[in-house]
Amino acid sequence: MAVIVFLDKNLTPQEKGALEEKIKQSPLVARIDYVTQEQAMTRFIQKFPDLQPLLQDLGTNPFPPSLEITIQPRYSRSHLVTSFLDSLKREKGVQDIQFNLDWVERIESFDRLVRAIGLFLGSLLLLASLFIISNVIRLSVVNRQEEISILRLVGATNNFIRLPFVLEGIILGILGSLIAIGFLWLIISLFPLYVGHSLGAFKEIFQLRSLTSSQVIILIFSGGIIGFVGSFSSLARFLKI
Amino acid sequence: MIELYHIWKQYQKPDWALADISLTIRNGEFCFITGPSGSGKTTLLKIIFREILPTEGQIIIDGLNVLKIPDHLIYRLRRQMGIVFQDFRLLYERRVFDNVAISLRVLGLSTKEIRRRVFNALRQVNLHQKMWDYPYQLSYGEQQRVAIARAIVNEPRIILADEPTGNLDPDLAFEIISLFKEINKRGATVIICTHDREIIRHFGEKVFFLHKGKLIGKEVFPSSKK
């Protein structure tokens, strides 16, 4: 997310430096670039070469100097940025600020919606995983009923009988999460190749990130936990020891 | 010593599967429980093994009240007993070795110790050469011997056998009971449920007679006679 702060042409280099320093101190700011009047005009001419004679007729450079501020993605919440910009507006030498608040709010609302849908679907999938693992273990218990009864007769402890089923559940859970991670990696790798170009301006918004190593570990661990809970609940219901 | 005091068992009202059974079996005894089908032999064996609970009564094994053992500690009692069924109860997709080893795996013994003990148990029942066969490759008599090997492999103090000769021809039946007799000579208490009078006549030292859930008689023969 970028914010453009247009500065007063008459601002001295010291005042500009002080303002830049002050902005840099904010934790919201990831990067700050100073654009001179000349650089602004060059950019304009590059983008609109047909209008160059018009600028020459003016005789002066109409573009003010500006500061292009990149906001840290994790601080892109609009209310934080809004209060930051409000404080900036009060600074000496700041003429105007260009920042599309409506869009940010819309994207944030969309983000919240996507998160809510994700949470809902995630919860559904979690329950489905528990149900599936629980049933797989149940089938396994039914298939091995004879073996279980023999184990009981020869003096196996409850934990000895339960252990293979619990391990089966944990392995299923971990395998499930590994497959999910694999698919996710595949989607993240293939998404830009197949859809990336057609996204155009939305490319920045729909940028897909790979999972971090800690997220991968959490996912695998969660798979194991789901497997454990699924198998244990199934054993509690179907394995009469 | 196995002591049963006033054991009553009811599966369904108003019939009693067992009615006021009291008996004592001393350590190292070789005894039979006999009676017609439905007389309660298997029920009595299951109660001793604590697979089922009696409706009333007490069971004391070596001074321990079996009915007071909490469910999660029953395995301790069962590790002191070996049980053999008429239908063998073998795992047919596992080799003979694994069928016998199952009794030792639950004890958490080392692989080396399991191999040694399984081999010895199978040698006792003369099946050590078929250790790597599958049960379905064996005759009925051999399958029953595998079940016996499984029951004796952890050297239990008590062996319970429920109609162990039910599916076997008379010669094989005698062979199997002789095997139990050998195990008994090594110190284990052996209790066999059977309705085979010929076997009882030949091997019986102590015989309990059941009829319609009641203990109607007890006969003790001097062991020197056998």
Side-chain angles (χ1 to χ4, degrees):
Chain A
M1 187 195 300
V3 174
I4 301 169
V5 179
F6 295 105
L7 303 175
D8 190 347
K9 284 179 195 171
N10 303 318
L11 210 63
T12 64
Q14 287 78 15
E15 284 171 332
K16 189 218 82 178
L19 181 64
E20 209 170 328
E21 203 51 48
K22 200 168 184 181
I23 294 169
K24 266 184 194 168
Q25 280 171 4
S26 168
L28 275 67
V29 177
R31 196 179 149 176
I32 185 161
D33 294 304
Y34 179 65
V35 182
T36 60
Q37 285 185 275
E38 290 70 32
Q39 282 170 329
M41 191 160 78
T42 312
R43 279 186 193 175
F44 182 82
I45 292 166
Q46 277 169 355
K47 277 190 180 176
F48 310 101
D50 297 345
L51 298 176
Q52 194 178 0
L54 193 73
L55 282 174
Q56 282 166 350
D57 290 347
L58 276 173
T60 55
N61 185 347
F63 298 101
S66 62
L67 288 171
E68 288 181 355
I69 303 167
T70 310
I71 303 291
Q72 294 269 19
R74 64 178 181 276
Y75 292 120
S76 64
R77 301 274 163 226
S78 62
H79 67 275
L80 285 174
V81 179
T82 315
S83 56
F84 170 65
L85 296 182
D86 283 344
S87 68
L88 261 186
K89 271 179 194 166
R90 289 192 290 271
E91 291 296 329
K92 192 191 167 197
V94 174
Q95 275 194 333
D96 195 13
I97 292 174
Q98 194 184 71
F99 173 64
N100 205 335
L101 188 62
D102 283 354
W103 264 101
V104 170
E105 280 175 349
R106 273 180 212 166
I107 289 166
E108 279 197 356
S109 307
F110 181 69
D111 180 58
R112 278 196 294 274
L113 181 72
V114 168
R115 276 171 197 270
I117 292 170
L119 199 69
F120 175 71
L121 288 177
S123 309
L124 273 185
L125 288 173
L126 186 85
L127 285 176
S129 310
L130 274 173
F131 180 76
I132 290 167
I133 288 176
S134 174
N135 275 286
V136 167
I137 299 299
R138 181 189 169 184
L139 285 176
S140 192
V141 168
V142 170
N143 278 339
R144 292 169 68 183
Q145 207 62 57
E146 184 64 17
E147 188 181 344
I148 291 166
S149 73
I150 291 167
L151 280 169
R152 285 171 55 216
L153 296 176
V154 298
T157 60
N158 291 352
N159 286 339
F160 186 92
I161 297 172
R162 281 191 195 112
L163 188 68
F165 297 107
V166 172
L167 284 179
E168 192 180 336
I170 292 173
I171 290 168
L172 282 175
I174 290 175
L175 271 179
S177 53
L178 284 175
I179 291 169
I181 290 166
F183 269 114
L184 202 63
W185 177 82
L186 206 66
I187 289 167
I188 289 168
S189 308
L190 296 180
F191 185 80
L193 295 177
Y194 288 94
V195 198
H197 294 296
S198 52
L199 282 175
F202 293 99
K203 208 173 168 183
E204 284 290 310
I205 298 163
F206 290 105
Q207 211 171 24
L208 293 180
R209 284 186 301 115
S210 294
L211 293 179
T212 63
S213 52
S214 59
Q215 283 171 325
V216 167
I217 290 167
I218 289 169
L219 206 61
I220 293 171
F221 191 73
S222 309
I225 296 276
I226 291 167
F228 176 80
V229 173
S231 58
F232 219 83
S233 68
S234 182
L235 290 174
R237 275 182 295 162
F238 303 111
L239 185 64
K240 301 286 175 230
I241 296 175
Chain B
M1 191 150 75
I2 302 167
E3 299 158 274
L4 274 68
Y5 295 106
H6 308 290
I7 295 291
W8 293 75
K9 178 67 186 176
Q10 189 170 48
Y11 289 110
Q12 225 176 347
K13 285 182 179 177
D15 303 319
W16 288 94
L18 291 177
D20 200 19
I21 304 278
S22 294
L23 57 86
T24 302
I25 298 165
R26 290 189 178 81
N27 286 341
E29 278 190 330
F30 186 81
C31 62
F32 288 97
I33 298 170
T34 189
S37 296
S39 59
K41 303 186 293 291
T42 302
T43 300
L44 192 61
L45 220 57
K46 281 182 175 175
I47 284 175
I48 295 173
F49 196 63
R50 236 205 87 165
E51 196 174 346
I52 56 170
L53 293 168
T55 311
E56 276 178 46
Q58 293 297 324
I59 313 153
I60 313 289
I61 297 179
D62 292 335
L64 185 75
N65 190 335
V66 170
L67 302 181
K68 288 197 172 158
I69 302 173
D71 284 351
H72 69 279
L73 294 178
I74 289 300
Y75 72 92
R76 290 185 185 170
L77 173 78
R78 288 181 179 162
R79 285 179 185 182
Q80 295 174 38
M81 296 182 177
I83 189 156
V84 180
F85 300 94
Q86 181 181 359
D87 59 357
F88 320 136
R89 303 277 288 270
L90 298 176
L91 297 168
Y92 286 86
E93 73 285 2
R94 306 271 181 94
R95 293 179 194 276
V96 166
F97 175 88
D98 295 311
N99 269 282
V100 178
I102 202 168
S103 297
L104 300 174
R105 291 210 167 107
V106 301
L107 303 176
L109 298 180
S110 68
T111 311
K112 195 178 165 189
E113 182 64 11
I114 289 174
R115 278 194 187 163
R116 189 183 69 77
R117 289 211 202 174
V118 170
F119 183 78
N120 281 343
L122 285 171
R123 200 168 53 184
Q124 283 180 52
V125 298
N126 201 22
L127 267 183
H128 54 290
Q129 283 159 337
K130 298 196 171 181
M131 192 155 73
W132 303 111
D133 285 5
Y134 286 95
Y136 58 78
Q137 294 173 299
L138 307 178
S139 68
Y140 277 154
E142 287 170 331
Q143 288 182 37
Q144 190 58 289
R145 282 191 277 153
V146 175
I148 294 169
R150 184 181 64 196
I152 63 169
V153 72
N154 60 347
E155 295 164 4
R157 294 186 297 111
I158 301 162
I159 306 272
L160 306 171
D162 187 15
E163 300 277 8
T165 57
N167 287 328
L168 309 176
D169 63 56
D171 287 345
L172 266 178
F174 267 71
E175 192 187 310
I176 293 295
I177 300 298
S178 303
L179 201 55
F180 280 117
K181 191 73 191 156
E182 282 301 311
I183 295 161
N184 169 249
K185 278 180 187 166
R186 288 198 288 271
T189 307
V190 177
I191 305 165
I192 300 171
C193 285
T194 183
H195 57 253
D196 191 327
R197 289 176 187 176
E198 202 50 45
I199 281 175
I200 293 168
R201 243 194 307 275
H202 193 270
F203 292 95
E205 285 180 15
K206 191 173 193 178
V207 185
F208 296 98
F209 296 91
L210 291 183
H211 185 72
K212 290 184 177 173
K214 289 181 183 146
L215 185 65
I216 55 165
K218 183 179 100 173
E219 211 165 330
V220 181
F221 304 96
S223 55
S224 56
K225 186 184 128 185
K226 304 296 159 188

